[in-house]
Amino acid sequence: LKRSSPGTADCHVCSESAAMFFVPLVYASGYLVLVFLAICMACGLYYMAELAEEYSRLTKKILTHCIQGVIAIHVLLLLLDGFPFVATLFGIGLHVLYWQFLKQFPFVDFSSPMFIGACAGLVANHWLWIVFFRDELQYRVPQIMAFFVPCVWLVPFGFFVSVSLGDTVLPSGTHSGGLGVASDGGKTSALKGLLSWFGHKRDDMMSQSGAGMYAQRDYFGKDR
């Protein structure tokens, strides 16, 4: 049997003692990076919503081309790579349903049967493709993500950032129901309305805890 030298044993002890602090440091730094990424993503989404609200015609054209491109990708995957017929046809039909939202773009009614059906179809589309990639073991996670980003998430994400809420779905604070956020000029972006709703909820919680003496601020800390 080979005996380890005293120097080697000391190195093992030093590495174990160092790992006792280094491993928690790695986890803490990783979670801190995730927080920074979430903040940067929120700021980027808000800026994209501002651009989409200002250039609604250009946004509509971009979404139109995205839908056409995604449908073409589905057809090519079906014909060239032998992707499943049912899942591919369902994805094409779902994007045809997305196309119908462009008729009233940038407005959308969240209580309409078409919107509810699109949300249900998005969930079903996820399930169909997850089942397919689970059974096809030759595809790795980067390949699966490379499919989901353009073919499943791109168009819904574009609509989420760019669609606007009218007075019927985003009433002012004097009305009941909805998000309870006042809209400027009769419309506001869905993403901006959601962030404003969180800002109102935060102010309500602070006022209930005795911090209502301070001026109310929006989601990004600006005075209203």
Side-chain angles (χ1 to χ4, degrees):
L1 297 176
K2 296 182 179 181
R3 296 182 179 179
S4 59
S5 61
T8 305
D10 293 338
C11 291
H12 284 297
V13 173
C14 293
S15 62
E16 291 178 358
S17 61
M20 292 178 62
F21 176 74
F22 183 71
V23 172
L25 178 63
V26 170
Y27 280 101
S29 300
Y31 285 116
L32 187 61
V33 169
L34 291 178
V35 172
F36 283 135
L37 288 176
I39 295 174
C40 294
M41 185 177 297
C43 296
L45 289 176
Y46 190 85
Y47 181 68
M48 291 176 63
E50 289 279 356
L51 292 178
E53 186 177 355
E54 184 175 358
Y55 304 100
S56 59
R57 292 185 179 179
L58 178 60
T59 304
K60 183 178 180 179
K61 292 181 180 180
I62 293 175
L63 287 175
T64 301
H65 293 310
C66 287
I67 294 175
Q68 294 173 347
V70 172
I71 292 176
I73 291 174
H74 278 78
V75 174
L76 293 176
L77 290 175
L78 176 64
L79 297 178
L80 301 180
D81 292 340
F83 269 47
F85 179 79
V86 175
T88 304
L89 186 63
F90 187 86
I92 294 175
L94 183 61
H95 282 79
V96 172
L97 180 60
Y98 294 153
W99 190 296
Q100 304 303 315
F101 289 107
L102 294 175
K103 295 180 179 179
Q104 298 180 347
F105 186 85
F107 297 100
V108 64
D109 184 6
F110 286 172
S111 60
S112 64
M114 187 170 63
F115 177 79
I116 297 174
C119 293
L122 180 62
V123 175
N125 196 32
H126 276 82
W127 180 79
L128 289 173
W129 289 116
I130 288 174
V131 170
F132 167 70
F133 286 111
R134 182 193 63 187
D135 298 335
E136 298 293 332
L137 301 179
Q138 71 268 23
Y139 296 105
R140 298 182 178 180
V141 174
Q143 295 172 315
I144 297 174
M145 294 299 296
F147 171 82
F148 269 86
V149 169
C151 297
V152 181
W153 297 333
L154 178 62
V155 176
F157 175 78
F159 274 109
F160 174 71
V161 172
S162 58
V163 295
S164 299
L165 303 173
D167 290 332
T168 57
V169 290
L170 191 65
S172 62
T174 58
H175 297 118
S176 60
L179 298 178
V181 181
S183 58
D184 298 330
K187 70 173 184 177
T188 185
S189 170
L191 178 62
K192 292 170 61 179
L194 184 62
L195 294 177
S196 298
W197 179 78
F198 279 115
H200 277 276
K201 291 299 181 181
R202 180 201 60 192
D203 292 337
D204 292 341
M205 293 178 61
M206 292 179 63
S207 61
Q208 291 177 1
S209 61
M213 63 183 67
Y214 299 99
Q216 289 188 346
R217 300 176 181 271
D218 60 8
Y219 184 80
F220 294 95
K222 297 180 180 179
D223 292 333
R224 293 199 183 106

